[in-house]
């Protein structure tokens, strides 16, 4: 680090936005009674969908679990500590990847007209590409939910195979994360912020 | 979808922010001469680091490749189509995950005092956790770069094993993405925006 922070220009977003999306946002488990509407899910998707993916594959799929019946089906497959979190959340989003994303590529990535046929027999490659890029999209979606005014509570303590058998036996989608969403009650969590690694702990500059 | 868009409240961020971070942001390959300073990298990290990871693991590691010598070492392992993109970018960030993230957990996640020892023998579990959570962090970082006023050009056409042998033989980090960064020249790309999947193509609401 050869330069000091005071050489940095201002952020391109206001401090209020930096706080909302990053600095003050917490993994939330305490919610107000405010419902999460279909329109808010639409708004979040209409931001998150623009995040980049390899060859524009967009393999992320969502199951929006809001009804009491669907909640009960999901809760059955959550780790014990996460069951009450799903029950308490206004909505729980099951995030999954679609190994058959290549079916959409003639539309999504016309740059390579043969890519659908090339990927069709390569199930292992598709699985890896789908998971990798859906995880990137999950990062975009968590921040998009916050941009819509919702808090996010991501969790991965669950029986993914059980969730897939419950909800995705027809589609072949593979779940990898559940993100609770709603309006946070206060800070959204009783726990203090845990420490973060400093840049010099994670980065080398060459 | 039982509700219409006009029932949605406003976004929690301005349209200018939604455009900057999501709607108008493009995978960039055309750059101005503006340098990317250490201070800007620090600013981006100081936003991205707050994004949630499982058990606060934060397994993402960064190699900031800016010097001509380091660029040449990286270019040697990029796919041919991506070599000129690395050469043209003000800075190229090699994103990697650290399978030894558990060494930090006594500090990062004191909630489970024994978690470091429990994970130590479970190399496969650590590898999977590291990759999964570093990919989420990559999503946060791409948006954080934009929040700092930089454009991002993520690429994964490269010889990851070659990059790891070149740069990470001592650390054991495993690369999974290169993100070019800098100030976009105009739109940053000569290509029109590719289509995105609509919510009803990716989501079901229960």
């Amino acid at each position: 680090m050869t330069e000091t922070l005071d050489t940095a220009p201002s952020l391109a977003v206001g401090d209020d936005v930096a706080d909302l999306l990053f600095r003050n946002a917490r993994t939330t488990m305490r919610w107000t009674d405010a419902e999460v509407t279909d329109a808010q899910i639409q708004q979040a998707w209409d931001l998150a969908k623009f995040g980049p993916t390899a060859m524009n594959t967009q393999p992320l799929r969502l199951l929006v679990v809001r009804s009491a019946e669907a909640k009960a089906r999901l809760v059955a497959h959550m780790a014990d500590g996460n069951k009450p979190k799903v029950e308490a959340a206004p909505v729980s989003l099951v995030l999954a990847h679609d190994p058959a994303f290549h079916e959409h590529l003639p539309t999504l990535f016309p740059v390579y007209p043969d890519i659908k046929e090339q990927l069709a027999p390569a199930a292992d490659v598709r699985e890896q590409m789908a998971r990798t890029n859906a995880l990137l999209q999950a990062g975009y979606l968590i921040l998009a939910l916050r941009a819509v005014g919702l808090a996010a509570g991501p969790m991965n303590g669950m029986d993914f195979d059980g969730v897939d058998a419950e909800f995705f036996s027809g589609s072949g989608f593979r779940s990898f994360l559940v993100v609770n969403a709603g309006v946070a009650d206060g800070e959204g969590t009783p726990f203090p912020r845990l420490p973060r690694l400093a840049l010099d702990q994670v980065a080398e500059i060459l």
Side-chain angles (χ1 to χ4, degrees), chain A residues 27-80:
Chain A
T27 292
T28 293
M29 59 194 74
R30 291 184 175 177
W31 312 92
T32 72
D33 291 336
E35 291 183 6
V36 174
T37 65
D38 290 3
Q40 287 173 300
I41 301 294
Q42 179 78 54
Q43 284 182 314
W45 180 250
D46 283 340
L47 297 177
K49 70 181 182 185
F50 287 115
T53 52
M55 295 198 306
N56 200 32
T57 41
Q58 305 173 56
L60 180 64
R61 304 292 179 262
L62 303 177
L63 186 69
V64 181
V65 175
R66 189 168 42 200
S67 71
E69 182 204 352
K71 278 287 190 77
R73 291 171 62 194
L74 177 58
V75 163
H77 304 284
M78 301 301 297
D80 285 348

Side-chain angles (χ1 to χ4, degrees), chain A residues 27 60 85 129 134 136 170 176 204:
Chain A
T27 292
L60 180 64
K85 296 180 187 172
M129 288 182 67
L136 287 174
F176 62 88
E204 186 181 2

Side-chain angles (χ1 to χ4, degrees), chain A residues 17 21 23 66 72 77 86 138 155:
Chain A
V17 170
L21 299 183
R23 298 188 298 219
R66 189 168 42 200
H77 304 284
V86 167
M155 308 178 296

Side-chain angles (χ1 to χ4, degrees), chain A residues 4 13 21 26 30 34 50 58 88 102 127 132-133 136 145 159-160 182 205:
Chain A
T4 57
V13 300
L21 299 183
R26 302 293 306 280
R30 291 184 175 177
F50 287 115
Q58 305 173 56
H102 64 300
E127 174 70 22
T132 293
N133 288 283
L136 287 174
L145 288 166
D159 171 8
F160 294 111
I205 299 180

Side-chain angles (χ1 to χ4, degrees), chain A residues 17-196:
Chain A
V17 170
D19 288 345
L20 176 79
L21 299 183
F22 296 101
R23 298 188 298 219
N24 290 351
R26 302 293 306 280
T27 292
T28 293
M29 59 194 74
R30 291 184 175 177
W31 312 92
T32 72
D33 291 336
E35 291 183 6
V36 174
T37 65
D38 290 3
Q40 287 173 300
I41 301 294
Q42 179 78 54
Q43 284 182 314
W45 180 250
D46 283 340
L47 297 177
K49 70 181 182 185
F50 287 115
T53 52
M55 295 198 306
N56 200 32
T57 41
Q58 305 173 56
L60 180 64
R61 304 292 179 262
L62 303 177
L63 186 69
V64 181
V65 175
R66 189 168 42 200
S67 71
E69 182 204 352
K71 278 287 190 77
R73 291 171 62 194
L74 177 58
V75 163
H77 304 284
M78 301 301 297
D80 285 348
N82 287 333
K83 290 179 192 291
K85 296 180 187 172
V86 167
E87 287 165 345
V91 70
S92 298
L93 308 176
V94 180
L95 275 58
H97 69 257
D98 181 4
F101 66 86
H102 64 300
E103 299 286 347
H104 292 284
L105 289 185
T107 302
L108 298 181
F109 202 66
V111 184
Y112 292 163
D114 297 332
I115 191 68
K116 176 181 167 184
E117 285 69 31
Q118 286 180 28
L119 286 172
D124 288 352
V125 172
R126 286 190 282 106
E127 174 70 22
Q128 170 87 342
M129 288 182 67
R131 183 174 173 91
T132 293
N133 288 283
L135 278 159
L136 287 174
Q137 289 185 283
Y140 310 143
L141 180 64
I142 288 168
L143 298 187
L145 288 166
R146 295 171 175 171
V148 165
L150 299 171
M155 308 178 296
N156 61 6
M158 52 191 282
D159 171 8
F160 294 111
D161 290 340
V163 169
D164 295 350
E166 181 76 40
F167 294 110
F168 300 134
S169 60
S171 64
F173 300 165
R174 298 192 56 189
S175 60
F176 62 88
L177 197 69
V178 169
V179 179
N180 293 321
V183 175
D185 185 8
E187 267 202 277
T189 172
F191 302 116
R193 167 78 87 185
L194 290 168
R196 293 301 194 271

